[in-house]
Amino acid sequence: MSYLRKNIVDMAGYVPGFQPPDEAEWVKLNTNENPYPPSPKVIEAIRQATGDDLRKYPDAACREGRKAAAELYGYPVDWVIMANGSDELLNNLIRACAGEGEEIAFLHPSYSYYATLAQVQGATVKIYPLTEDCEIVGFPARYPGKLFFLTSPNAPLGLNWSPDEVAALADRCDGLLVVDEAYADFAGSNCLELVKTKPNVIVTRTLSKSYSLAGMRLGLAIARPDIIAALDKIRDHYNLDRLAQVALVAALGDQEYFGECVARICATRDWFRHELTRFGYTVLPSSANYLFASSPDRNGQRIYDALYQRKVLVRYFSDPVLAHGVRISIGTREEMESTLSVLKEIG
Ligand SMILES: *Cc1c(COP(=O)(O)O)cnc(C)c1O
């Protein structure tokens, strides 16, 4: 074991959401995937790119993709970086900003992968509790750590911080405030504009959820050019393969299809929340493509197990602050109707 760094030996490693081998037999509502297929233009672009060109390296600078994102979000190209999933950016942000023994922070509950990445780097972690009504407990007037990750909308609770609230938090951070906006496309507001006014704010996005491309691994970040340039040195130079690059351009280019899918998911979410609440569940309002719901007996494990037996897969967290509920991704209206009737059967 002496070959390995002690922190790697000691750490548990991240456990991703369960992907069942017999995928088609499940109503799969556990990893916040989009129930709709990617834009037909994405499929067509990938088909076109699966020829002889694959023997050549992809564009290391991902110029077309960055240009498409820069135009869409209203930023110059040197404020944009692409990644092999936004997870890659979260990793590279820690590597860029926090040395061994230096501190990063995030809220609990939120995305637990930040903790894993910090462990790999040997950074220390400060966790601020988050209450269900959006209170951050004990966040100091000035936070001296190197990075503060704010998942907005929060995962798994779904609550969204307003740009004003995030701006106020940014003013209290000595280091970078990373706004992880994996679900911002399902929310009414986001922090993209803040990047222009607050030098320590960086926004990360992913095409995994709102663009139905979890299988392609596409993420991006918007930040000041000096931060982007640093992240650019750290990344794998060919982090986006040729298929990912054409998929990216086609996906961002088909805003009409994107908008329709997102609107449908939001409508289904709001309908499902209403129905579940009527049935006696406690369901937090959500700005994302999932709901955190608890049954009257506040027993998330029971609901998870009962749904599992009926081939409906949701996410249960054994953590004490989350064990009273389950996180349910929003699928198609039909999937949510059948999930609702299964829940009514379980009681
Ligand atoms: C899904 C998710 C990510 C990762 O997105 P990828 O682009 O698929 O790597 C990052 N942050 C949060 C909060 C997520 O839920």
Side-chain angles (χ1 to χ4, degrees):
M1 274 303 154
S2 58
Y3 299 122
L4 302 168
R5 288 165 66 207
K6 187 173 180 323
N7 54 327
I8 306 298
V9 174
D10 291 346
M11 66 184 275
Y14 183 74
V15 184
F18 179 51
Q19 301 289 48
D22 50 346
E23 231 162 46
E25 287 169 36
W26 292 82
V27 176
K28 192 172 176 306
L29 307 175
N30 68 329
T31 49
N32 300 338
E33 289 144 334
N34 197 308
Y36 302 111
S39 156
K41 292 182 178 157
V42 170
I43 309 293
E44 183 50 33
I46 293 173
R47 281 219 178 92
Q48 294 286 336
T50 54
D52 170 67
D53 278 353
L54 286 180
R55 80 193 156 73
K56 292 180 284 182
Y57 282 109
D59 175 15
C62 193
R63 279 167 296 204
E64 293 300 316
R66 286 170 73 204
K67 198 169 126 227
E71 272 165 23
L72 179 63
Y73 298 124
Y75 276 88
V77 176
D78 59 348
W79 291 57
V80 180
I81 188 167
M82 291 298 161
N84 183 15
S86 65
D87 282 347
E88 185 199 9
L89 281 164
L90 304 175
N91 186 12
N92 287 347
L93 275 162
I94 295 189
R95 291 166 75 200
C97 300
E100 258 192 75
E102 293 185 313
E103 188 181 286
I104 67 131
F106 52 87
L107 306 183
H108 181 68
S110 76
Y111 192 34
S112 60
Y113 190 47
Y114 311 131
T116 307
L117 294 170
Q119 280 178 315
V120 172
Q121 178 72 351
T124 60
V125 163
K126 175 82 190 169
I127 294 174
Y128 294 101
L130 172 69
T131 68
E132 286 192 359
D133 30 59
C134 214
E135 286 299 324
I136 301 174
V137 182
F139 197 74
R142 282 220 71 79
Y143 174 65
K146 296 292 174 185
L147 279 175
F148 175 46
F149 289 102
L150 183 72
T151 321
S152 185
N154 175 269
L157 302 182
L159 50 89
N160 192 37
W161 279 267
S162 73
D164 286 348
E165 290 169 314
V166 177
L169 281 171
D171 288 340
R172 290 159 68 181
C173 291
D174 285 344
L176 272 190
L177 171 56
V178 182
V179 193
D180 181 345
E181 291 197 342
Y183 301 100
D185 288 322
F186 303 103
S189 70
N190 63 64
C191 291
L192 266 187
E193 285 303 309
L194 269 191
V195 176
K196 288 181 182 144
T197 53
K198 299 285 174 197
N200 64 335
V201 169
I202 172 165
V203 168
T204 62
R205 292 283 179 97
T206 173
L207 278 78
S208 295
K209 282 86 181 211
S210 53
Y211 285 90
S212 311
L213 286 172
M216 257 350 262
R217 313 305 303 127
L218 283 165
L220 63 102
I222 313 269
R224 303 215 161 214
D226 56 330
I227 299 168
I228 296 295
L231 292 170
D232 206 42
K233 290 184 208 169
I234 298 175
R235 70 180 173 91
D236 264 8
H237 33 271
Y238 297 123
N239 58 346
L240 265 66
D241 63 52
R242 278 178 176 265
L243 304 187
Q245 292 196 25
V246 296
L248 169 66
V249 173
L252 297 184
D254 196 352
Q255 285 298 304
E256 194 182 330
Y257 179 87
F258 161 80
E260 275 168 25
C261 293
V262 167
R264 255 194 255 173
I265 290 165
C266 291
T268 306
R269 171 192 71 199
D270 298 342
W271 166 81
F272 188 64
R273 175 166 185 252
H274 178 80
E275 292 300 309
L276 264 190
T277 307
R278 254 186 12 157
F279 181 55
Y281 271 56
T282 305
V283 194
L284 296 177
S286 169
S287 299
N289 66 338
Y290 47 83
L291 290 168
F292 192 81
S294 46
S295 51
D297 70 349
R298 294 177 63 80
N299 186 342
Q301 177 87 66
R302 181 180 72 84
I303 300 302
Y304 174 87
D305 288 341
L307 286 172
Y308 187 94
Q309 277 163 18
R310 292 160 180 82
K311 289 263 172 195
V312 180
L313 200 52
V314 297
R315 190 84 186 251
Y316 165 73
F317 305 91
S318 60
D319 187 290
V321 300
L322 296 170
H324 60 287
V326 291
R327 188 194 68 191
I328 308 175
S329 307
I330 302 302
T332 61
R333 171 78 183 223
E334 296 68 36
E335 286 175 319
M336 302 324 284
E337 278 170 6
S338 67
T339 301
L340 186 67
S341 51
V342 171
L343 285 170
K344 286 182 173 167
E345 209 181 294
I346 297 165

